[in-house]
Amino acid sequence: MLKTIENSAAVTQAADQNQSTPPMVRFDKVTKRFGDLVVLNALDLDVAPNERVAIIGPSGSGKSTLLRLLMTLETPNEGVIYVEGEPLNMMPRNGKLVPADERHIRRVRQRIGMVFQHFHLFPHMSALGNVIEAPIHVLGLSRQEAVTRGEELLEMVGLVDKRDQRPSQLSGGQQQRVAIARSLAMRPDIMLFDEVTSALDPELVGEVLSTIRRIGEEHNITMLIVTHEMGFAKEFADRVCFFDEGKICEQGPAKELLTNPQNPRTQRFLQAVLG
Amino acid sequence: MNIWDWEFAWRIMPLLLDAVVITVYATVLGFAFAAVFGLVLALMRRSHRPWISLPTVAFVEFVRSTPLLVQIYFLYFVLPEFGVLMPAIVAGILGLGLHFSTYCSEVYRAGLDGVPRGQWEAAVSLNMSRYRTYRDIVIPQAIPPVVPALGNYLVGMIKETPLLSSIAVVEVMQQAKIIGSETFRYIEPITLVGAFFLVVSLVAMMGIRRTEAWLRQKVLGSH
Amino acid sequence: MDLLRFLPLMLEGAWVTAQITALALLLALVMGFTAALMRLSRYRLLRGVATVYVEVFRGTSALVQLFWMFYVLPHFGVNIDPFMVGWVALGLNIGAYGAEVIRGAIQAVPKGQYEATIAVNMTRWQAMYRVIIPQAIPNMIPPWGNLSIELLKATSLVSLITIADLTFRARQLNDRTFETVEIFTLVLLMYLAMALVITAGMRLLEHYTSRGLGRGGI
Ligand SMILES: Nc1ncnc2c1ncn2[C@@H]1O[C@H](COP(=O)(O)OP(=O)(O)OP(=O)(O)O)[C@@H](O)[C@H]1O
Ligand SMILES: [Mg+2]
């Protein structure tokens, strides 16, 4: 568990909010271990508002863990994660940062949404039911409002005619698009995508990627995207971070890094992936 | 003496049917108790506080590993020592209920654990509260496996009610023994009791299988 | 301590309980395997007989079966001593449940294994005996562990047909001494101890049998 931090820089960071625009997401020396295995090692990462960051790297390098920490599905062992200047896993109390309680986490987490590799749709609800569940019970929208908005979102992902179908009656690509609509319905400022096309048959990958492109066009949302689709990363992301062994090994503008990597490890990885 | 006397069997039928009422009564009350108390045990076992979960585990394991008959004796003979007097039937129902509550608690536990982790994670990603997650996401998905399993234990319980004859509750088995001792004919009463349980089990099992398929279709929409 | 006075009789009772458990378990294993293989047979008659056995013994209550053999069989001139009635009735009862466990475990062996035995031209018996059953056994052990505990608990029923097992001794001592709390607590603990012994034994067996299959074990 995380101890109280008396690092004054960390505390002022929280108060900084009004002076300059803070990054939308900041990882400050975040370490995550599973037992003896160090998955993230004192990681620093800033993501600007509306920035789209693609995260690539070999299996086991800690990409999912990064997103899961930000979604509060895991808790860091050390370090602080900030969302627009506000600490997420910690909270200020008497001028110190102490481990956050459930209330604090839920308030800050409100701004983050996530799309999973295996969709995790609620199997006992229709497509529309999946999309309106949290807006009604978490945001407190009226059913009417939630349905109107839910239908708009299903329209956007091209599935409004499937609104009453159960997930088991949808294809993988359709399920993933419903999951994207479900996440968008919470109006997140930050969206996390963890290999959202990896579980799909090749012919279904395109429809999901174009849905993500469309979100990029129509919404101002900061995105962290773990992906193996290098073509998509190159054309869609502003920046690419190459992860290896729990560290950012190399990062830079997407086109530059993907066409002309500097680090030998990045070169080897890209060579292997692109063949 | 002929082996099976239909006329005698027919004559004792009303007596047995009267006793069936007691059997059913004990089962219904006992199972209601088991289903509710089992849920309490399951939630206590899932508690993050070890001083709640550990004694619960110990209690469940203890009750599950020792004979119902002795537990019924315990309630019937021991509780009066502490001033808790109750009629035999109440001790019997309590014994059945306590014993089966431990089985029910395992059913609930398996049902809740069977909901994939991804469902919890999706709920977190939508910022749902724990209560809301249980209520809208986890419990509805746990119902299709839980209901048939509880049904099996309901059938299991009715087949254990003959144990109440050991503390002189006149349920159907005790009635059969009384008839046997008075008429010196055991074959008809005891066979009829067996047939009663067999019919109840077979019909119930069929019903449970149907319900299971129906629930799965209803909740998950799968075929 | 009063408890010490009770102990000799209780241990005698526990010994009877242990014997009945062991004999009934052996019978249950034999009946379980036989009925399971019959239910998987190609011949309808064998399947039918086994199904009737399984459904009747699972569907009627254990105590009813015990009383039936105790009170009714003598009418047909079959006089078996109560001790034997006890373990035979319980063995047949648990065997019916065991048959379903065994059948399930055998059916859970991947289909490719059957196909492989055909590819190397084994007979059905060879396939069962040399390939399928050895793989099914590790899956049977945990449910058989549970059944053994159910059997141990069910042996208390034999006290109702005059057999002096642990439960019988408890009631006997209770009628004589009125030290109700001590007696029944002690008896429950003795049953718990026996159950723990069974659980430990099954764990060992599980460990031992899973070794050969490249699962678990040292
Ligand atoms: N809950 C956990 N318990 C133990 N180890 C874990 C856990 N979650 C992840 N790990 C380990 O942490 C390391 C990083 O995992 P992570 O899922 O972040 O990798 P990844 O970069 O997303 O890989 P992939 O491309 O395969 O998804 C792996 O070695 C993994 O085995
Ligand atoms: Mg991953």
Side-chain angles (χ1 to χ4, degrees), chain A residues 114-121 127 130-131 153-154 156-159 167 170-184 191-201 204-212 215 226, chain B residues 122:
Chain A
M114 181 161 179
V115 184
F116 301 87
Q117 181 174 357
H118 296 286
F119 333 135
H120 300 335
L121 286 181
N130 267 276
V131 178
L153 286 167
L154 285 178
M156 193 194 98
V157 300
L159 288 172
L170 301 175
S171 75
Q174 291 169 334
Q175 289 187 54
Q176 193 59 294
R177 279 144 64 202
V178 173
I180 291 172
R182 176 176 75 174
S183 182
L184 270 180
M191 272 185 86
L192 313 178
F193 296 87
D194 190 4
E195 297 196 29
V196 295
T197 57
S198 300
L200 301 178
D201 292 338
L204 302 178
V205 169
E207 63 188 57
V208 171
L209 292 183
S210 45
T211 304
I212 299 176
I215 299 170
V226 173

Side-chain angles (χ1 to χ4, degrees), chain C residues 22 30 55 75 104 116 148 172 189:
Chain C
V30 172
E55 294 301 340
H75 274 268
S148 308
Q172 194 182 31
L189 289 175

